[in-house]
Amino acid sequence: MNYAELLKRMPSELRRSLETELYRPWLSRGVSLADVCTDPVVMETILGRMNETERMVLRTLVLYIGSEPFDEARLEKAASPVLSGAEMRHGLSGLMRKGIVFAFRKTWGEYLYLLPADGFRTWRELVLPAVHSSAPERSGDDVMPEVTRSARLGLRLELFQALVFAARHGLKLSKGGTVHKKQLQKLAEQISLDEALLQGASLKYAYADAYSLPVAVALDFLLRLQLLTSNGDELELQPGAIEEWLSMPPEAQTKRLYAQWKQLTWPAQAWMQHAVCMAERLASGGQWFQADTLIAWLAELGILERHETEEDPRRLLQERWLQPLVAFGWIEEGRSLTADEAWFRWVEQPVPAAAEEADASEDGALMIQPDFEIFAPPDVPGKVLWELCCLADTVRLDQISVFKLTKNSVRRALDNGRTAEAIAAFLEERALYGVPEHVRLAVEQWAAPYGKTRFLQACLLRCADEATAQSLERIPGAVSYLREKLGGTHYLIAPDDVKPLAAALEKAGWLPGLLPDTGGNGPAAQAITYPKLDVLGENSLQERREPTGDKGFIYSRTSVAYYEMEARIPSAADLYPDYADIPASWLKDYRAYHASTRKEMVEQAIRMKTVLQIRKNGCDYRIAPHKLQDTRGSWCMTGIVRTAESADPAAEMRLMPEEWQEMKLILPGINDKYLY
């Protein structure tokens, strides 16, 4: 989950505290809270205001957990032995207070925590050392890799083709909630996503017994973008959302699709999250790289050392992340002649560039050929391609798409509400070199006979006799529904008017016999209508909608979306339930205590997972005890020690009570401001 999604769910109390306290100076300049929380300059300022414990917890999160839900036990294990449990909790609450980490309350009262995905991307750049992002140099004898796998269409065109199919044929649902089998088979023929490349993502989804993986992925994208919605009987096209989507430039579409894919399949392992971020840094250069290169960078940072896995990291990275991107056409896979290992190269930039300028280029135009074929270059707007798919047959969708005008295709456009005049205007408006005269005449001739005869869907109202029919015409609430009289006793009724007419007749004292329900809006279901979009720029989109991203049926791995966000941030005292029972002198006085008191303080520190400050031979130490043992009539404690001169963890130390002179119990956030 990212900040924009979390802010929609954030309790007003928590949001108000962030907006009125910590981030007020930046918000007063008109910047949104989501943008502030992912602004590297702002976050660098916040980093400078953190105490040392908060910085160490943040670094632990970034290095070893990433943007994956975690509980306190997991964070404590990742932070050990550098931080004690109490220090970890104190640092975590500080990060929550700064809006960097968020808490979610599970149904049984326990908590899960989350560093947002876009926050992870920002913080890893601030807390990790700079890592070079260039591809490895190849030897002089090596050659550039040769492309071995790339997508035929790319995800944008795959989804476009699925939408066109839905507009032409509809997507009716069975009682089980899936697309009818015959339609599903035809839809699957329209989707050419490589199933083998998608397998590594290990997606789980509803209706897995009915939908193939490529179909499930395509439909899930369309549902999450709200280009399709389910009404229980069918997957309905949403013309407003489709128009908005097709109005976006291809680059913007790719960025939204990639963001949606990341949200759904973001890796659980922190090391792979780092690898993904590193791979994204290579998107703008168009350079070849290997999974081994990314793994080497992780090893250089020491990230892999704490992530034990029996599987090969290189293979996992390729199968779970890089190869699905190949299936979507965002990355190409290649092989060199001197080595059999896979290389990868971005062919589309899926993440926003550092300085991104608006595309001010003009829309591309169609090239209408004398043989009735129409060529559409890649810069032709999506809305134009949409309309072209209505009035022409698709020969090929590609970088240069090819369509062909036929008598049947013109008939299809007319059946879907287009007129001969509208078709001619569209072709003339969008043709780069005009419409060949014989093509224009042919379209006019094909369209001319249309509508001179027409089949209409209607119901027949039959009266028992002419007297009944005449009485019917005198009922004020009924006469407006009588379309046409046939003979002396029959009337044509529009299917949609059957129920209101029946209600009017019953109100007047009649009891009409009704036709049995046919499952549609009349005697037969209505025909599929191919939505008409604003392709001539007659209207402007008034409002940009932001898809919610939660309407699909592929299961997300992240569970926090189902939990309630916690509004209250624990205070320092809340972190220590036994705080009231601790003698005040243990926290205030730095002095020598009796051996029995020393033992009590050690036991208390172990219970609270906190630290002791001790003075030994004139030097101050911070020790986090984790074991106390009785030995030879005395006792000893074992713990992890740090000196005042170094914040780095020292080796485990074992001390007898007489081996230090003075001591003090430290509760982080309570009495650790001046630790040394």
Side-chain angles (χ1 to χ4, degrees):
M1 298 180 73
N2 56 36
Y3 271 104
E5 295 167 308
L6 289 170
L7 289 174
K8 294 176 184 177
R9 306 179 54 199
M10 185 178 293
S12 57
E13 176 187 347
L14 177 57
R15 181 162 187 158
R16 187 164 51 250
S17 68
L18 294 176
E19 292 177 338
T20 59
E21 297 176 13
L22 188 62
Y23 297 116
R24 184 176 179 179
W26 294 282
L27 294 174
S28 63
R29 303 170 191 170
V31 184
S32 70
L33 184 57
D35 289 337
V36 166
C37 291
T38 54
D39 186 319
V41 176
V42 176
M43 291 301 104
E44 189 170 12
T45 302
I46 299 301
L47 182 63
R49 298 177 182 177
M50 292 182 187
N51 59 47
E52 184 61 27
T53 302
E54 291 170 346
R55 291 193 192 98
M56 295 173 73
V57 172
L58 177 60
R59 181 177 174 83
T60 299
L61 278 175
V62 171
L63 278 174
Y64 306 121
I65 295 179
S67 182
E68 178 73 6
F70 62 94
D71 56 19
E72 288 188 3
R74 183 179 177 189
L75 179 58
E76 184 176 341
K77 181 179 179 181
S80 176
V82 179
L83 295 174
S84 68
E87 289 173 311
M88 178 276 297
R89 291 193 300 273
H90 173 56
L92 180 62
S93 66
L95 297 181
M96 291 167 59
R97 192 167 289 107
K98 293 176 173 61
I100 296 170
V101 175
F102 297 89
F104 295 83
R105 187 169 56 253
K106 300 166 82 171
T107 52
W108 49 91
E110 297 181 355
Y111 288 92
L112 282 177
Y113 303 89
L114 180 72
L115 171 67
D118 44 359
F120 167 77
R121 181 185 176 91
T122 301
W123 285 112
R124 70 178 302 277
E125 299 293 334
L126 293 174
V127 304
L128 298 183
V131 181
H132 59 85
S133 59
S134 59
E137 296 182 1
R138 288 181 287 272
S139 64
D141 298 331
D142 204 355
V143 296
M144 293 297 291
E146 180 181 349
V147 175
T148 55
R149 283 201 288 199
S150 60
R152 187 182 72 83
L153 286 182
L155 183 59
R156 286 186 303 103
L157 289 179
E158 294 278 7
L159 298 182
F160 178 83
Q161 194 160 257
L163 278 177
V164 170
F165 176 87
R168 288 181 178 176
H169 307 288
L171 293 174
K172 297 291 184 181
L173 298 177
S174 66
K175 292 182 179 180
T178 61
V179 177
H180 279 292
K181 189 172 183 179
K182 288 185 178 180
Q183 282 185 308
L184 187 58
Q185 290 174 343
K186 293 179 180 178
L187 174 62
E189 294 172 0
Q190 305 295 313
I191 300 173
S192 59
L193 293 173
D194 191 328
E195 183 167 2
L197 293 176
L198 295 173
Q199 288 288 353
S202 300
L203 299 177
K204 307 295 182 184
Y205 55 92
Y207 314 120
D209 56 337
Y211 294 152
S212 66
L213 183 55
V215 169
V217 168
L219 289 179
D220 189 81
F221 271 110
L222 295 176
L223 288 167
R224 290 181 189 275
L225 291 169
Q226 298 177 32
L227 306 178
L228 292 176
T229 60
S230 174
N231 65 4
D233 295 323
E234 66 177 328
L235 297 180
E236 287 185 311
L237 293 166
Q238 300 300 305
I242 292 172
E243 181 164 0
E244 179 182 339
W245 173 252
L246 296 180
S247 298
M248 298 171 63
E251 297 79 10
Q253 289 181 345
T254 295
K255 288 178 175 61
R256 180 172 292 183
L257 291 171
Y258 182 70
Q260 187 170 300
W261 179 252
K262 282 181 65 174
Q263 177 184 341
L264 190 64
T265 63
W266 186 240
Q269 304 95 328
W271 70 264
M272 193 177 293
Q273 294 178 22
H274 285 285
V276 169
C277 291
M278 290 176 174
E280 289 175 351
R281 294 177 62 181
L282 302 175
S284 59
Q287 55 195 329
W288 288 99
F289 65 92
Q290 290 180 296
D292 280 341
T293 307
L294 305 179
I295 299 302
W297 288 342
L298 297 176
E300 181 181 333
L301 291 172
I303 293 175
L304 283 178
E305 295 176 3
R306 297 280 293 274
H307 296 280
E308 299 179 1
T309 175
E310 296 179 358
E311 300 183 77
D312 178 12
R314 176 184 60 84
R315 184 181 62 80
L316 287 177
L317 180 59
Q318 289 183 175
E319 293 181 356
R320 293 186 183 178
W321 192 257
L322 296 175
Q323 288 182 350
L325 304 190
V326 175
F328 295 149
W330 299 332
I331 280 180
E332 290 178 331
E333 183 177 341
R335 290 288 194 279
S336 67
L337 296 178
T338 58
D340 192 38
E341 294 185 6
W343 291 78
F344 299 91
R345 176 177 64 181
W346 292 92
V347 291
E348 292 194 49
Q349 185 168 320
V351 290
E356 201 171 73
E357 298 181 359
D359 185 5
S361 60
E362 295 184 358
D363 291 341
L366 305 175
M367 291 174 281
I368 303 177
Q369 306 300 304
D371 61 356
F372 293 85
E373 284 193 340
I374 301 176
F375 294 161
D379 55 355
V380 169
K383 291 196 297 183
V384 174
L385 288 181
W386 176 263
E387 189 66 12
L388 201 53
C389 287
C390 180
L391 59 91
D393 292 331
T394 304
V395 177
R396 182 177 69 252
L397 278 179
D398 210 330
Q399 287 296 311
I400 303 293
S401 298
V402 182
F403 303 85
K404 188 158 188 174
L405 285 165
T406 65
K407 186 175 182 178
N408 286 337
S409 70
V410 172
R411 165 69 181 274
R412 180 176 64 237
L414 295 169
D415 283 340
N416 281 283
R418 278 55 167 182
T419 64
E421 294 76 14
I423 294 173
F426 170 79
L427 295 175
E428 290 289 351
E429 174 77 15
R430 292 296 176 178
L432 180 61
Y433 303 113
V435 182
E437 182 67 14
H438 70 283
V439 173
R440 183 183 62 80
L441 290 174
V443 172
E444 289 179 358
Q445 291 172 2
W446 292 336
Y450 187 84
K452 291 186 176 180
T453 58
R454 183 184 296 270
F455 288 100
L456 295 177
Q457 190 180 77
C459 289
L460 186 66
L461 176 65
R462 174 178 292 170
C463 300
D465 48 46
E466 290 190 12
T468 301
Q470 292 172 4
S471 299
L472 196 65
E473 294 175 358
R474 292 193 292 270
I475 300 175
V479 67
S480 61
Y481 298 114
L482 305 178
R483 296 298 179 90
E484 185 177 344
K485 192 171 184 179
L486 304 177
T489 60
H490 297 79
Y491 294 90
L492 285 181
I493 307 297
D496 291 341
D497 292 341
V498 171
K499 289 187 178 180
L501 175 57
L505 293 176
E506 289 182 13
K507 187 176 181 180
W510 300 70
L511 295 175
L514 296 176
L515 289 172
D517 188 5
T518 58
N521 292 329
Q526 293 183 350
I528 297 299
T529 300
Y530 193 107
K532 180 174 174 56
L533 308 181
D534 174 26
V535 295
L536 297 180
E538 298 168 355
N539 302 301
S540 59
L541 293 172
Q542 297 297 318
E543 182 180 355
R544 289 281 181 187
R545 303 175 319 106
E546 189 67 29
T548 60
D550 58 357
K551 302 296 184 181
F553 49 80
I554 291 179
Y555 304 133
S556 174
R557 291 186 311 95
T558 303
S559 60
V560 294
Y562 305 106
Y563 300 133
E564 181 182 356
M565 186 183 292
E566 177 61 47
R568 184 176 176 274
I569 298 172
S571 65
D574 292 334
L575 300 176
Y576 310 105
D578 299 334
Y579 176 62
D581 299 329
I582 299 175
S585 60
W586 291 8
L587 303 176
K588 294 179 180 179
D589 298 333
Y590 190 48
R591 66 182 188 184
Y593 288 93
H594 186 272
S596 60
T597 304
R598 293 188 180 198
K599 186 176 183 181
E600 289 182 42
M601 294 175 70
V602 172
E603 291 172 335
Q604 185 69 45
I606 293 174
R607 281 195 299 271
M608 301 180 74
K609 297 184 178 180
T610 189
V611 297
L612 296 167
Q613 183 179 350
I614 65 173
R615 180 163 294 162
K616 181 177 183 293
N617 300 327
C619 294
D620 286 339
Y621 296 86
R622 191 214 73 168
I623 182 167
H626 57 77
K627 186 166 60 175
L628 187 148
Q629 290 176 300
D630 292 323
T631 174
R632 296 179 183 177
S634 182
W635 55 271
C636 67
M637 73 168 173
T638 305
I640 302 297
V641 176
R642 271 210 310 260
T643 65
E645 290 75 21
S646 174
D648 294 328
E652 188 174 72
M653 182 177 287
R654 184 180 181 188
L655 294 170
M656 302 293 290
E658 62 272 12
E659 291 186 274
W660 72 88
Q661 290 75 48
E662 297 176 306
M663 66 184 299
K664 178 181 180 180
L665 180 66
I666 302 297
L667 300 183
I670 300 292
N671 65 335
D672 62 340
K673 187 174 182 180
Y674 303 104
L675 185 57
Y676 298 114

